[in-house]
Amino acid sequence: MRPVFPMCIAGALAVFAAPASAWAVTAAGPATVKAAADTVVEQTLRMITETANHPYLTWPDFPHYQDEMEAIYAPVEFGLRWFDSGRPTARANQVIEALSTADVHGLDPLDYDAGRLADILASFRNGGSPDGSQMALVDAAISVSFLRYLSDLHIGRVNPANLHFGFNIEEKKLDLAATVNAAIESGAIAETVARIQPGFPQYARMREILADYRELALLDLPRVPEVDVVHPGDEYAGTAELRTLLIALGDLSAGTTAAGMTYDSVLAAGVEHFQARHGLEVDGIIGKGTFTELNTPLTDRVNQIELALERLRWLPDVTSEPIIVVNIPAFELWALDPTHPDHRIALEMRVVVGKAVNKQTPAFRGDMRYVIMSPYWNVPYSIAVNEMLPRIANEPDYLETRNLELVREFSWDAEVLPPTDENIAAIRTGRVNIRQQPGPGNSLGSAKFIFPNSENVYLHDTPAHQLFERTRRDFSHGCIRVEDPQALAEWVLRDQGQWTAAAIEEARHAHAPSRADLTGPLPVILFYTTVMADEERPQFYDDIYGHDAALAAALEVGYPYPP
């Protein structure tokens, strides 16, 4: 419900709602005008702050910024911050310029009333003479919009916790009021904006890609005619449209010439490049999946990039330390090191992640603490009861053939219990557990990498290495299976002399587990983005868990977003 304003303020708000040309000049004596203006300025700013509502902003309610508004205006007794001698300051104009270019970050200038405020300030520069209430209204609008913009740029618009992403933005929140007050005092508006945006190289590259795809989306690019399937060498009536699209997207060189109606090797090479960038099987064959990706509207790609930028704003600042990143829909792991010469990528490998239907891998940040070589697999209760007990009932040798044993607790020296009917029945009550012995058939393979977390998720090896040859790799119960555990173990233990490559190899193939503690915590980020920015062309992936759709729906709600 909108607040009821005193008559003098309500009248001023009505003026704010009118076009810039409707602003009027008040004729009165200078001293009288100044005293009255000061009073109205204070009344207006207090009322807007106390009600956390500015009815003529696009998003009028600002409950999450009420304290910040108080901290901006109370120190100056609710006087103007963006005006001086009846005119907007250079700082005000710089803020409006920043708001007006919010779209370069995938944000919407309309959310910050950038165009409207720009028009009003332009009218002042062109001779308009606002009274106290009018200046106060515009002053408050600039403050609210700037607070929103700085927060959105630094931590995003939507709290990731509301979408079940385990990133704690509370830890990275700015003191917004102090930031705004410092920017006003120093005049360093542009510098403030540059400083608080994410510093990841990926973020800067993603902004470039956003600009590229916005330009591409404006082009009249053809739709590629769809048929059942096209193999290299086939006659295909859509070769001209395909060539035009691939050149525009950068998958074919601009000088590629036509070859009639034949889907030739040159076009097939362009399609393979396109397939590699879109999470498809790279075979040069144009089937249903490839046609779908080719004909995805570029406006959809723009939206994907904007969502990717939003998620990057959720991340903690880990640009100065080695980290491990897993991008879930890309099915890829990267070990990143700021001291590494190859664009910080020290190691990369394919991974298998949780099933999309009901075993999704969560997104969160953890700290790797240790590695277990030749681990036991402590079977989770749900798997033991729902998957193993029916098999045990129907297959008398199920436990023995899979090197499974019964224990009361998951400790390395736990007593192994005989597989009696009584002990097997106790599995359902949780009094007896199942674990798998170390060895070639162990479901965790030869190593697991532990970053303690409430989700009980970790990285581990697997005996099912054939799954890494699949294009789509969501097959696990939620943990992440890594393609090359030896290389990963060598990298995370690289600063420990006793854990040489040979020592790791030996421990991975021992008959009993061993533990290698890291010298310090190693950040692990399990991330989810359907766009990645490499040095050449962007990589796009399927929204396998539907997280893009959920984030887009949350952003549609607008301000005030849930805290």
Side-chain angles (χ1 to χ4, degrees):
M1 180 177 178
R2 290 184 175 177
V4 178
F5 288 88
M7 183 61 68
C8 64
I9 300 177
L13 290 171
V15 173
F16 183 79
S21 60
W23 292 66
V25 178
T26 301
T32 304
V33 170
K34 184 178 187 309
D38 288 347
T39 300
V40 173
V41 164
E42 180 180 352
Q43 288 180 338
T44 305
L45 290 173
R46 283 189 183 277
M47 183 63 70
I48 290 172
T49 299
E50 290 170 4
T51 59
N53 178 284
H54 197 315
Y56 296 104
L57 291 177
T58 298
W59 304 102
D61 295 319
F62 55 92
H64 308 323
Y65 301 99
Q66 186 174 29
D67 291 344
E68 285 79 3
M69 287 288 283
E70 177 81 20
I72 288 171
Y73 286 104
V76 294
E77 298 181 347
F78 288 87
L80 298 169
R81 304 306 312 267
W82 305 103
F83 282 81
D84 185 23
S85 301
R87 288 288 179 265
T89 63
R91 297 165 178 78
N93 294 322
Q94 291 164 10
V95 169
I96 302 308
E97 181 178 355
L99 303 182
S100 299
T101 56
D103 58 340
V104 304
H105 295 279
L107 301 172
D108 189 348
L110 292 176
D111 283 345
Y112 315 107
D113 292 275
R116 191 173 182 193
L117 288 170
D119 289 344
I120 292 171
L121 294 195
S123 76
F124 296 163
R125 290 193 299 271
N126 294 331
S129 299
D131 62 22
S133 59
Q134 295 165 348
M135 286 189 292
L137 286 162
V138 176
D139 205 273
I142 293 173
S143 294
V144 171
S145 293
F146 196 33
L147 285 167
R148 282 173 166 166
Y149 179 60
L150 292 177
S151 178
D152 293 351
L153 187 58
H154 190 63
I155 61 172
R157 291 159 286 179
V158 174
N159 189 331
N162 293 323
L163 297 175
H164 309 293
F165 275 56
F167 299 114
N168 185 2
I169 59 171
E170 296 296 325
E171 295 177 349
K172 63 174 293 191
K173 279 187 174 180
L174 295 169
D175 184 335
L176 286 172
T179 302
V180 171
N181 286 333
I184 293 172
E185 293 301 320
S186 66
I189 302 299
E191 293 82 356
T192 298
V193 170
R195 175 174 55 82
I196 62 94
Q197 66 182 280
F200 310 116
Q202 183 76 191
Y203 186 85
R205 180 73 181 105
M206 198 75 73
R207 285 180 51 191
E208 296 173 358
I209 290 170
L210 177 61
D212 291 343
Y213 268 74
R214 279 177 172 160
E215 290 185 7
L216 287 170
L218 297 175
L219 300 178
D220 186 21
L221 293 174
R223 182 178 178 84
V224 177
E226 297 189 25
V227 295
D228 288 339
V229 65
V230 183
H231 294 86
D234 286 355
E235 293 298 304
Y236 171 51
T239 54
E241 293 87 347
L242 177 62
R243 182 179 295 103
T244 298
L245 180 62
L246 292 176
I247 289 173
L249 296 179
D251 296 298
L252 273 181
S253 64
T256 303
T257 58
M261 294 290 192
T262 302
Y263 177 51
D264 60 14
S265 60
V266 175
L267 274 179
V271 167
E272 289 179 2
H273 191 273
F274 177 90
Q275 289 172 328
R277 293 195 306 110
H278 291 79
L280 299 164
E281 185 174 354
V282 181
D283 56 11
I285 300 170
I286 311 177
K288 181 179 179 181
T290 301
F291 275 122
T292 297
E293 297 298 329
L294 286 167
N295 286 322
T296 295
L298 294 183
T299 51
D300 289 0
R301 298 299 186 204
V302 169
N303 291 337
Q304 274 184 267
I305 298 166
E306 291 174 346
L307 296 177
L309 285 165
E310 175 74 4
R311 289 200 186 97
L312 285 173
R313 292 187 276 265
W314 297 344
L315 293 179
D317 183 6
V318 288
T319 57
S320 61
E321 57 186 325
I323 61 171
I324 290 174
V325 176
V326 174
N327 184 21
I328 295 166
F331 312 111
E332 293 284 341
L333 174 150
W334 294 270
L336 305 178
D337 187 343
T339 66
H340 197 277
D342 185 20
H343 307 289
R344 300 181 71 243
I345 299 177
L347 182 68
E348 57 184 310
M349 65 184 67
R350 292 173 288 189
V351 299
V352 172
V353 302
K355 299 174 184 177
V357 176
N358 57 3
K359 304 291 184 182
Q360 296 180 4
T361 297
F364 65 93
R365 179 249 167 92
D367 288 313
M368 188 179 295
R369 302 284 181 173
Y370 57 93
V371 183
I372 301 293
M373 314 291 183
S374 296
Y376 284 108
W377 177 38
N378 299 325
V379 180
Y381 175 81
S382 60
I383 296 177
V385 171
N386 299 326
E387 300 181 28
M388 289 188 172
L389 276 182
R391 299 288 299 274
I392 293 170
N394 294 322
E395 302 176 36
D397 60 351
Y398 180 84
L399 294 173
E400 180 181 359
T401 58
R402 290 162 179 80
N403 291 321
L404 296 168
E405 56 191 20
L406 306 184
V407 293
R408 294 202 184 279
E409 59 184 22
F410 288 136
S411 63
W412 290 0
D413 58 354
E415 178 188 359
V416 177
L417 305 174
T420 63
D421 291 343
E422 180 182 3
N423 285 335
I424 290 173
I427 294 171
R428 190 173 298 279
T429 65
R431 292 185 293 109
V432 170
N433 298 294
I434 303 176
R435 75 179 181 188
Q436 190 174 38
Q437 300 172 47
N442 185 284
S443 293
L444 302 185
S446 61
K448 67 176 180 177
F449 303 79
I450 304 301
F451 40 104
N453 59 85
S454 61
E455 304 284 354
N456 196 28
V457 168
Y458 45 86
L459 308 175
H460 66 86
D461 183 20
T462 175
H465 279 265
Q466 72 277 5
L467 294 179
F468 293 112
E469 300 304 318
R470 304 280 189 93
T471 301
R472 176 165 173 163
R473 297 187 291 275
D474 55 323
F475 300 109
S476 83
H477 284 79
C479 287
I480 297 135
R481 307 173 191 174
V482 299
E483 181 181 21
D484 192 344
Q486 176 72 21
L488 185 58
E490 289 180 23
W491 188 77
V492 303
L493 298 171
R494 64 194 180 282
D495 58 351
Q496 299 191 45
Q498 74 272 29
W499 284 106
T500 63
I504 292 171
E505 182 73 24
E506 181 180 358
R508 285 178 51 234
H509 295 94
H511 297 295
S514 59
R515 170 170 166 158
D517 290 308
L518 277 63
T519 55
L522 173 64
V524 177
I525 293 179
L526 306 186
F527 197 48
Y528 189 102
T529 176
T530 60
V531 187
M532 291 289 290
D534 67 10
E535 293 301 314
E536 296 181 1
R537 306 296 298 170
Q539 309 281 329
F540 295 95
Y541 308 102
D542 283 345
D543 184 17
I544 59 171
Y545 292 171
H547 289 334
D548 272 6
L551 177 55
L555 290 170
E556 283 294 320
V557 173
Y559 292 98
Y561 296 105

